Amino acid sequence: MRVAVELVEALINSEAYPLEEKLREARRFVARHELGPSTRAIVEAAERRNIPAFRVGPDSLVQLGYGTHHRFIQAAMCDRTSAVGVEIAGDKELTKRMLEQVSIPVPRGVVVETEEEALAALRSVGAPVVVKPPDGRQGLGVSLNLSTPEEVLLAFRIAREYSRHVLVEELFEGRNYRVLVVGGEMVAASERTPCGVTGDGARRHHAAGLGLRLV
């Protein structure tokens, strides 16, 4: 509203107005504060059923309904999500071990604590590898497609900024999807695409984060 008023006043006074700059600021604000695809899918489903939904606090905690029937959701979790399940999912190595126990293929990997162990893991697993915190989230501290000792050492130091332990595992190439399942039925999916910049060889560009495309 403020930008709209400023724009109208600039037009009335025949003054220049940095509209594109203001729009870029608005887009950055929306990108920082909009709901993620899973939360958004649940909120939209609630709205279709005339269930009130509103944000609680600055993050992605959302209340559905009122009174004794209200529920809370955050991302793909609700107030009845198992705390044990969350702890398991937050530990990549433990999750892999449990999946492997029921014959689901998982990438080979080693949890290490020192640079020497990281280099030994590279030799054991074989290039290319991924280096990442075993308990991280949102891609923080993750380095992909590493083949040389120098790359692995640099990635190890980056991952150590987020966790005392570091996971070195084989790289699986493919497309990255997140799927939301409610009541045994898939209700939403998003494809996570790495950010990319096409430059002109002269000007500096900057990009960060992951692109999400609802599929």
Side-chain angles (χ1 to χ4, degrees), residues 163-207:
S163 177
R164 185 168 64 89
H165 299 92
V166 175
L167 176 59
V168 180
E169 66 181 11
E170 64 179 320
L171 173 71
F172 279 2
E173 294 187 3
R175 304 176 76 167
N176 188 337
Y177 294 99
R178 297 189 69 173
V179 178
L180 175 64
V181 177
V182 177
E185 178 182 353
M186 190 195 82
V187 297
S190 62
E191 180 181 359
R192 295 159 60 90
T193 58
C195 63
V197 174
T198 302
D200 57 12
R203 289 176 295 179
R204 297 181 62 184
H205 299 268
H206 174 73

Side-chain angles (χ1 to χ4, degrees), residues 13-33:
N13 298 322
S14 299
E15 298 173 349
Y17 188 78
L19 180 59
E20 285 302 320
E21 178 184 339
K22 297 293 184 179
L23 290 176
R24 284 194 296 270
E25 291 178 2
R27 294 187 188 102
R28 286 195 294 268
F29 179 84
V30 171
R32 287 195 304 269
H33 297 283

Side-chain angles (χ1 to χ4, degrees), residues 33-168:
H33 297 283
E34 68 177 345
L35 295 174
S38 298
T39 309
R40 187 168 65 248
I42 296 173
V43 169
E44 289 173 353
E47 291 173 346
R48 288 195 297 270
R49 293 163 174 78
N50 296 319
I51 299 173
F54 57 92
R55 214 162 181 162
V56 180
D59 297 319
S60 295
L61 180 65
V62 175
Q63 179 176 328
L64 304 178
Y66 296 102
T68 59
H69 298 290
H70 82 274
R71 301 287 296 275
F72 289 107
I73 63 166
Q74 189 165 32
M77 297 187 298
C78 71
D79 48 22
R80 296 184 184 178
T81 299
S82 165
V84 174
V86 172
E87 290 294 322
I88 293 173
D91 186 328
K92 297 180 177 66
E93 186 62 20
L94 177 58
T95 299
K96 288 200 309 179
R97 194 180 312 146
M98 296 184 69
L99 293 174
E100 196 171 25
Q101 288 176 351
V102 291
S103 301
I104 296 177
V106 297
R108 294 178 297 113
V110 181
V111 175
V112 301
E113 295 187 23
T114 67
E115 293 184 355
E116 292 75 16
E117 291 176 345
L119 294 178
L122 170 64
R123 294 190 294 269
S124 171
V125 174
V129 297
V130 178
V131 175
K132 58 187 176 183
D135 53 356
R137 56 185 301 179
Q138 297 180 338
L140 297 176
V142 177
S143 301
L144 305 174
N145 199 21
L146 310 174
S147 299
T148 68
E150 293 77 15
E151 291 174 337
V152 169
L153 286 178
L154 177 59
F156 174 85
R157 293 162 189 157
I158 294 173
R160 277 295 296 268
E161 296 178 5
Y162 298 95
S163 177
R164 185 168 64 89
H165 299 92
V166 175
L167 176 59
V168 180

